[in-house]
Amino acid sequence: MTMLDERPSEEANPELERKAERAESWRGFFTALPTYLYLVVFFVLPLIIITVISFAERSRTGKPVLGEWTLDWWIKLGDPLVRSVVFRSVWLAFLNTLLSLLLGYPFAYWIATRKSALMRNFLLVLVLIPFWSNFLVRTYAWRTLLDSNGLVTKVGEMTGLWGKMLFTEPAVFLGLLYGYLPFMVLPLYAAIEHLDWNLVEAARDLYADARKAFIKVTLPLSKPGIIAGSILVFIPSLGAYVTPDLLGGSKTTLLGNYIVTQFKSGRNWPFGAALSVTILAIMMVATIIYFRKGGKTL
Amino acid sequence: MSVQEGTAHRPWVDKVLTVNGWLIFAFLYLPILILVIYSFSDSKVVGIWGGFTWKWYNRMIHNPEMMGALWNSAKVAFISTIISTVLGTLAALALDRYRRWLGKGAFDVIMYLPVIIPEVTMGAMLLIWFTQILPVNLSLTTIILGHIAFSASFVTIVVRARLANLDDSLEEAAADLYANRWTTFRRITLPLIMPGVMGGALLALTLSLDDVVITEFVQGPGASLLPVYVFGLIRRQVTPEINAVSTLMLALSMMLVFISLAFQARSISKSKNKEA
Amino acid sequence: MTAAVSIRGVTKRFGTDVTAVDNVTLDIVDGEFFSLLGPSGCGKTTMLRMIAGLEFPTEGSIQIFGEELALRPPNKRPVNTVFQSYALFPHMNVEKNVAFGLEMRKVDKAVIKEQVADAIEAVHLKGMEKRKPSQLSGGQQQRVALARALVNRPKVLLLDEPLGALDLKLRQAMQIELKDIQSEVGITFIYVTHDQEEALTMSNRIGVMNFGNLLQVGTPEEIYERPVNRFVADFIGETNFIDGTVADDGRIRIAGGALVYARGDAPAGADVTLTLRPEKIWIHSRGAADLDPERNQLPGKITRRLYYGESIYYEIELEDGTLVDARHENIPSLQRRDVGDEVTITFHRQAAEALVS
Ligand SMILES: Nc1ncnc2c1ncn2[C@@H]1O[C@H](COP(=O)(O)OP(=O)(O)O)[C@@H](O)[C@H]1O
Ligand SMILES: [Mg+2]
């Protein structure tokens, strides 16, 4: 690293200016270096390795054998069983994102349009508490509610509308919705709260009725919140592990538990690696499509 | 800005919104509330009220495995929070305060990936990395390393937002008043981004205390963290003791929420003063 | 005359295509109030930041009292800056802000206390020592910024549009105060502004910049009365431009054929532009008998009248169609003109400046 003399007494020239700029740029580099190295060692390299491992043969204990390569695990993704797990996961994640948006938008809109700032902040804190609360505990709460003695089950039996839901797909869906709804509401709230209401007023002034003004002005302007919220709900829903495990039992396997099974009991690490890379790929593609589509339609 | 007269809704729209709002709050809060209530119920079967008792809390405290897991969680959270706060803050400084440096573009992307990558993928790749590539045994250390790998990025996001709102000319003014780089950082930059750093630290702490997936992948034999231990308990059999420890964990989360809100309120009231 | 700041051939490029300051050479005299004046984006701030050390020049020399410090970091320079946004440290009270520079230089605690108290008193902020910047008005923040810089007794004080954020009344009051403070402490002030009136009233000398170039340096009078080119004439105050050619006898032949006297040393045959300030034009009724033969005379017709209160603007169309503005003080002895009046305008032979176009 070349540093400038502390008390230089030279005239400036382009060479020295560049030298000073380079010194500054090295300072930036060295500031980032510890984190940079950390992320390379504990994130980037592992990410590359897991991709490599997904092409490795597996030993009798399920561990990968480096040096013997195969495409089996990627081909295995086409198995009907695996395919159904992938589809179910994507479908549930999609459904959850959609429903969270449909429930979350009017909810966030309601909070953001309260007239008193005190009320707005109070309601916001009420959203923040579940947002920050331990996810496992919040999911567990539903396990008791949906079990045979649970309140929800009893209400269902009394009204004759439903029975015991625990260990069924609706239970998993309910758990996902419950778990990730706050992730949708917060960015939506932020977007709607920052909205310039003069624009809505202008639309009303230009002969739009309340509904038109909402569709033409409010909704498009809250797009950043819709995108952020959807991504924040879709990603963890797609990789959900705790929720399907606690509420779905063995009957509703989703990608998340399926992957964990490969490593913990299924004893097929390379296949688990292929699934892990797949879920990452789906997530990336979905995010990109969402950004593209969002950019055009909204 | 808040809604104005000209944009107000018709009364019935507002009524529907309000009813819907409180219903969603009920949906969000009732399950937790019931869980908390039943943690004080003197009945073996969860869901049947058997009178008030502290029994389950008592049992929880005298469960050495549970207390061991709690202690492990505290250790892991403490260490990973400190390290990820330092790393995340350094990264935010490098990204925001230095215009160009070697590999900045790539770093800017890498830094955000841990935030959006699914937890299972992160857990799986760290497991492979630790057991197949690095010659290490899984232990509390590997858990800490894993937690830092995802929470540092969250710290960076929070601190960077704060830095972006910090006027560059304050640091220039310090330099103009004879402060060297280090003194400028210590006396001006750091105090002013402290709310962001603390916010990031609280986020890292919460993420570490909540994590199940990554911990389950990279934990060593016999040394688990509280959420993973409780997760195991729930799978085996639901007991009222779990309600007690759940309530404890909720209380902890709640405490962190209020600490972070207090921080925010302070920095907001400061910036409000400025506008006046 | 010692040069407090001596700038030689200074150029600053940002990247390859922005030249913010282009080969500027300039001497600033010890103890003077010097203003850098120019439109937004002309490079004033960049020039000032290079003197402060917040930016290094691409090329050139910057000396302060003979010491070369073009490449020296800001904390090692005997200058201080009053920033445009004041840049007061929001987490420190007034006293701590003002003491910061002295603390950094490890001045004795007791001395700091005394000097800080003096500086705060000098800017009339006594009693506000414990307030945070957020609890002060814009004008008060401005004074804190000034005290924080001046308390260090810099050899040169740099000010970047320090009054830009204040409203008109306060700005005018602060102009006077700043000027007073400067003559009291005797420190060289380099003052950046895009407000020509501010520069004219406050400065000993002004440097006019445009597109990174220093176009003219001079006293306010020189700049106003003897602009070196069309840009300076136009930017400072209001003026009329009249195109013409230098005739053999040195007079200027303007469009329409009339010959007028003007200052300037353009050779015969050169194309020139006359710059003529509106307040230097007198208006007479056509055929008035007592016209001063020493003044240039041109016939014309009033085409517009704008009433400003303290003055009245007349637009006059000359015979060839050229429009000129004339300004009359609103005093009873001056005859009012109406639109359509046939008039003769006169101006002194030294009033118009012939600029080579
Ligand atoms: N850090 C920078 N990077 C790139 N361009 C800059 C930078 N600072 C100033 N400039 C450019 O240099 C020119 C002069 O800017 P400045 O000195 O701020 O002008 P002024 O203060 O007269 O308004 C402008 O065109 C501006 O965009
Ligand atoms: Mg400027």
Side-chain angles (χ1 to χ4, degrees):
Chain A
M1 184 170 54
T2 50
M3 284 277 201
L4 278 177
D5 183 10
E6 277 291 88
R7 283 186 167 275
S9 50
E10 293 156 276
E11 284 187 17
N13 61 48
E15 182 58 38
L16 289 174
E17 186 200 28
R18 225 172 305 131
K19 203 166 138 191
E21 273 167 13
R22 243 176 289 145
E24 185 70 3
S25 129
W26 281 118
R27 259 181 230 115
F29 177 77
F30 282 109
T31 307
L33 191 61
T35 320
Y36 214 153
L37 283 179
Y38 193 95
L39 283 181
V40 167
V41 174
F42 294 109
F43 187 80
V44 178
L45 291 177
L47 188 57
I48 295 170
I49 290 297
I50 196 173
T51 316
V52 174
I53 292 284
S54 69
F55 295 100
E57 279 288 2
R58 125 182 119 128
S59 73
R60 245 177 298 131
T61 56
K63 304 270 169 71
V65 182
L66 286 169
E68 292 173 38
W69 309 106
T70 172
L71 279 174
D72 283 1
W73 317 120
W74 286 96
I75 293 165
K76 195 175 166 179
L77 287 176
D79 282 3
L81 172 75
V82 182
R83 248 187 6 222
S84 77
V85 170
V86 174
F87 282 147
R88 192 187 300 129
S89 299
V90 175
W91 174 239
L92 274 183
F94 170 75
L95 221 54
N96 188 35
T97 310
L98 193 66
L99 197 65
S100 298
L101 186 58
L102 290 179
L103 284 179
Y105 198 98
F107 183 56
Y109 187 88
W110 172 65
I111 299 176
T113 54
R114 291 309 85 194
K115 285 218 176 63
S116 118
L118 199 68
M119 185 65 173
R120 277 205 304 274
N121 287 334
F122 170 70
L123 295 177
L124 184 62
V125 171
L126 282 187
V127 180
L128 278 173
I129 290 171
F131 182 84
W132 285 72
S133 290
N134 192 292
F135 185 79
L136 172 69
V137 171
R138 296 205 309 126
T139 310
Y140 164 69
W142 278 96
R143 172 138 176 169
T144 48
L145 285 176
L146 298 176
D147 213 346
S148 331
N149 288 320
L151 212 63
V152 173
T153 313
K154 290 205 172 131
V155 170
E157 279 165 356
M158 254 180 340
T159 56
L161 291 176
W162 61 78
K164 177 186 154 185
M165 274 199 271
L166 191 60
F167 306 136
T168 64
E169 203 166 298
V172 175
F173 183 65
L174 200 59
L176 289 176
L177 182 67
Y178 182 74
Y180 299 120
L181 184 59
F183 290 57
M184 178 65 88
V185 174
L186 279 185
L188 280 177
Y189 169 82
I192 300 171
E193 223 260 322
H194 279 122
L195 218 114
D196 183 356
W197 293 101
N198 286 326
L199 296 174
V200 182
E201 211 165 49
R204 297 297 298 275
D205 184 56
L206 295 166
Y207 318 111
D209 59 21
R211 202 172 53 93
K212 275 239 175 70
F214 176 79
I215 291 171
K216 296 260 178 203
V217 181
T218 313
L219 204 57
L221 286 178
S222 44
K223 188 180 105 183
I226 296 176
I227 288 181
S230 300
I231 289 171
L232 283 181
V233 172
F234 185 79
I235 294 171
S237 302
L238 184 63
Y241 164 59
V242 171
T243 315
D245 197 278
L246 288 188
L247 303 179
S250 53
K251 283 183 216 146
T252 314
T253 305
L254 294 188
L255 258 175
N257 355 38
Y258 197 50
I259 290 173
V260 176
T261 309
Q262 302 310 317
F263 287 96
K264 294 285 161 175
S265 45
R267 306 205 167 272
N268 191 342
W269 286 30
F271 181 51
L275 287 168
S276 301
V277 176
T278 305
I279 199 172
L280 180 60
I282 296 175
M283 183 222 84
M284 294 262 202
V285 169
T287 312
I288 291 167
I289 289 177
Y290 205 92
F291 268 113
R292 285 261 171 84
K293 266 259 155 77
K296 271 180 204 147
T297 56
L298 280 174
Chain B
M1 194 188 316
S2 79
V3 202
Q4 298 146 358
E5 291 300 315
T7 53
H9 312 285
R10 265 163 281 172
W12 70 266
V13 176
D14 211 64
K15 281 220 180 70
V16 170
L17 283 175
T18 305
V19 169
N20 175 66
W22 290 115
L23 280 177
I24 290 183
F25 273 128
F27 171 62
L28 287 176
Y29 277 89
L30 278 179
I32 318 182
L33 209 64
I34 290 166
L35 180 148
V36 172
I37 291 171
Y38 276 109
S39 74
F40 298 101
S41 161
D42 193 2
S43 155
K44 258 207 168 1
V45 187
V46 179
I48 292 170
W49 181 253
F52 182 87
T53 180
W54 284 106
K55 179 159 88 183
W56 310 116
Y57 289 90
N58 208 9
R59 214 175 265 188
M60 169 182 87
I61 291 168
H62 292 102
N63 177 342
E65 273 184 72
M66 184 128 32
M67 288 300 114
L70 177 62
W71 176 234
N72 284 340
S73 271
K75 272 195 286 196
V76 168
F78 181 73
I79 298 172
S80 70
T81 297
I82 286 182
I83 298 178
S84 53
T85 303
V86 172
L87 289 179
T89 303
L90 282 175
L93 283 168
L95 286 170
D96 190 86
R97 282 306 194 242
Y98 294 89
R99 201 143 36 95
R100 255 206 320 257
W101 42 268
L102 187 68
K104 182 177 178 181
F107 184 69
D108 209 353
V109 174
I110 293 170
M111 198 68 226
Y112 288 92
L113 281 180
V115 175
I116 57 170
I117 201 165
E119 282 176 291
V120 271
T121 306
M122 185 98 174
M125 68 197 219
L126 284 173
L127 174 67
I128 292 173
W129 183 246
F130 286 136
T131 58
Q132 306 301 301
I133 309 293
L134 295 186
V136 297
N137 290 322
L138 296 179
S139 63
L140 282 188
T141 311
T142 50
I143 300 178
I144 291 171
L145 290 170
H147 283 195
I148 295 168
F150 67 83
S151 49
S153 299
F154 285 90
V155 177
T156 302
I157 292 176
V158 177
V159 176
R160 201 177 177 184
R162 182 88 196 170
L163 271 171
N165 286 324
L166 186 69
D167 188 359
D168 290 1
S169 65
L170 292 175
E171 284 150 335
E172 292 181 347
D176 186 63
L177 295 165
Y178 317 105
N180 60 30
R181 277 166 196 285
W182 170 241
T183 312
T184 301
F185 176 72
R186 203 169 45 84
R187 297 277 311 263
I188 307 297
T189 316
L190 190 59
L192 289 174
I193 62 170
M194 210 51 193
V197 175
M198 292 312 288
L202 281 168
L203 190 54
L205 190 66
T206 308
L207 288 169
S208 175
L209 287 175
D210 279 7
D211 178 65
V212 172
V213 180
I214 291 167
T215 305
E216 201 166 81
F217 269 105
V218 298
Q219 70 187 359
S224 188
L225 303 190
L226 189 60
V228 178
Y229 174 73
V230 171
F231 187 49
L233 284 186
I234 300 170
R235 276 167 158 172
R236 261 177 279 146
Q237 197 197 354
V238 173
T239 67
E241 203 182 331
I242 298 177
N243 285 14
V245 68
S246 292
T247 304
L248 179 82
M249 284 156 80
L250 276 178
L252 199 66
S253 304
M254 212 87 87
M255 207 173 73
L256 292 176
V257 179
F258 283 112
I259 292 175
S260 87
L261 284 176
F263 265 114
Q264 271 173 30
R266 244 185 42 196
S267 65
I268 286 172
S269 75
K270 267 186 191 160
S271 64
K272 281 251 171 68
N273 266 338
K274 207 173 177 179
E275 282 160 27
Chain C
M1 265 199 347
T2 353
V5 181
S6 167
I7 295 159
R8 291 278 166 273
V10 164
T11 294
K12 178 67 188 178
R13 277 189 286 272
F14 291 108
T16 47
D17 36 48
V18 181
T19 305
V21 171
D22 193 358
N23 194 16
V24 165
T25 294
L26 171 66
D27 278 317
I28 293 165
V29 181
D30 188 17
E32 81 175 326
F33 194 117
F34 188 93
S35 290
L36 275 174
L37 175 65
S40 174
C42 72
K44 309 176 298 285
T45 296
T46 306
M47 190 64 243
L48 201 73
R49 286 170 62 82
M50 287 192 287
I51 301 172
L54 299 170
E55 214 86 71
F56 289 152
T58 307
E59 230 167 321
S61 149
I62 297 176
Q63 295 187 359
I64 294 183
F65 289 100
E67 196 181 356
E68 175 64 56
L69 32 67
L71 296 167
R72 192 168 296 181
N75 53 328
K76 303 248 160 56
R77 294 185 185 214
V79 301
N80 288 109
T81 308
V82 175
F83 288 82
Q84 181 162 17
S85 55
Y86 314 138
L88 298 180
F89 306 131
H91 56 309
M92 300 181 188
N93 63 25
V94 168
E95 207 171 45
K96 289 265 165 58
N97 263 285
V98 176
F100 192 85
L102 295 175
E103 272 178 35
M104 290 302 116
R105 288 198 300 177
K106 309 228 158 41
V107 174
D108 187 65
K109 282 238 165 60
V111 179
I112 293 183
K113 213 169 163 189
E114 191 182 319
Q115 293 188 348
V116 166
D118 286 351
I120 290 176
E121 191 165 355
V123 295
H124 313 299
L125 284 176
K126 207 149 189 255
M128 310 247 180
E129 288 88 350
K130 302 294 177 205
R131 293 220 194 155
K132 290 276 179 69
S134 57
Q135 297 164 314
L136 299 174
S137 72
Q140 291 168 334
Q141 293 183 21
Q142 162 68 66
R143 288 154 202 261
V144 178
L146 199 61
R148 184 177 72 173
L150 280 176
V151 77
N152 303 294
R153 319 254 152 184
K155 288 184 174 162
V156 179
L157 185 73
L158 309 173
L159 304 99
D160 189 359
E161 313 218 10
L163 308 182
L166 306 180
D167 58 42
L168 185 66
K169 276 260 155 52
L170 189 54
R171 191 155 79 215
Q172 286 166 343
M174 280 305 294
Q175 285 174 4
I176 294 170
E177 202 172 322
L178 262 180
K179 188 71 189 146
D180 287 349
I181 288 174
Q182 196 260 340
S183 37
E184 226 167 274
V185 295
I187 291 173
T188 311
F189 275 34
I190 304 181
Y191 190 95
V192 160
T193 180
H194 66 267
D195 179 343
Q196 41 106 5
E197 210 173 285
E198 194 169 282
L200 289 176
T201 52
M202 298 179 75
S203 323
N204 298 118
R205 286 197 306 150
I206 299 172
V208 184
M209 290 184 72
N210 194 27
F211 292 124
N213 294 297
L214 187 62
L215 303 177
Q216 184 174 5
V217 178
T219 62
E221 241 172 303
E222 284 166 355
I223 300 270
Y224 187 79
E225 307 285 350
R226 306 281 162 245
V228 296
N229 62 26
R230 201 178 160 123
F231 174 82
V232 176
D234 198 23
F235 189 72
I236 317 281
E238 286 169 59
T239 197
N240 295 297
F241 289 118
I242 304 167
D243 291 328
T245 323
V246 182
D248 292 335
D249 62 355
R251 288 190 293 174
I252 315 291
R253 185 182 303 282
I254 63 174
L259 286 164
V260 296
Y261 290 95
R263 284 174 52 108
D265 43 17
D271 285 335
V272 294
T273 301
L274 295 183
T275 161
L276 178 59
R277 303 283 182 192
E279 75 275 11
K280 311 219 161 168
I281 299 175
W282 294 357
I283 303 172
H284 310 266
S285 304
R286 182 73 58 82
D290 53 346
L291 294 187
D292 181 353
E294 284 301 299
R295 295 173 69 86
N296 295 307
Q297 300 182 11
L298 291 171
K301 194 171 80 179
I302 306 280
T303 50
R304 205 188 287 270
R305 196 179 84 171
L306 294 172
Y307 180 76
Y308 275 81
E310 91 280 3
S311 62
I312 301 169
Y313 267 81
Y314 294 104
E315 183 190 74
I316 299 131
E317 188 181 331
L318 302 183
E319 283 187 327
D320 65 316
T322 309
L323 295 174
V324 297
D325 289 337
R327 190 172 79 105
H328 273 192
E329 291 300 317
N330 186 2
I331 43 178
S333 58
L334 280 179
Q335 191 191 338
R336 296 283 182 95
R337 308 288 165 181
D338 289 313
V339 172
D341 285 2
E342 299 281 338
V343 296
T344 300
I345 61 167
T346 70
F347 52 94
H348 196 271
R349 290 180 173 187
Q350 301 283 317
E353 186 83 13
L355 306 168
V356 181
S357 346

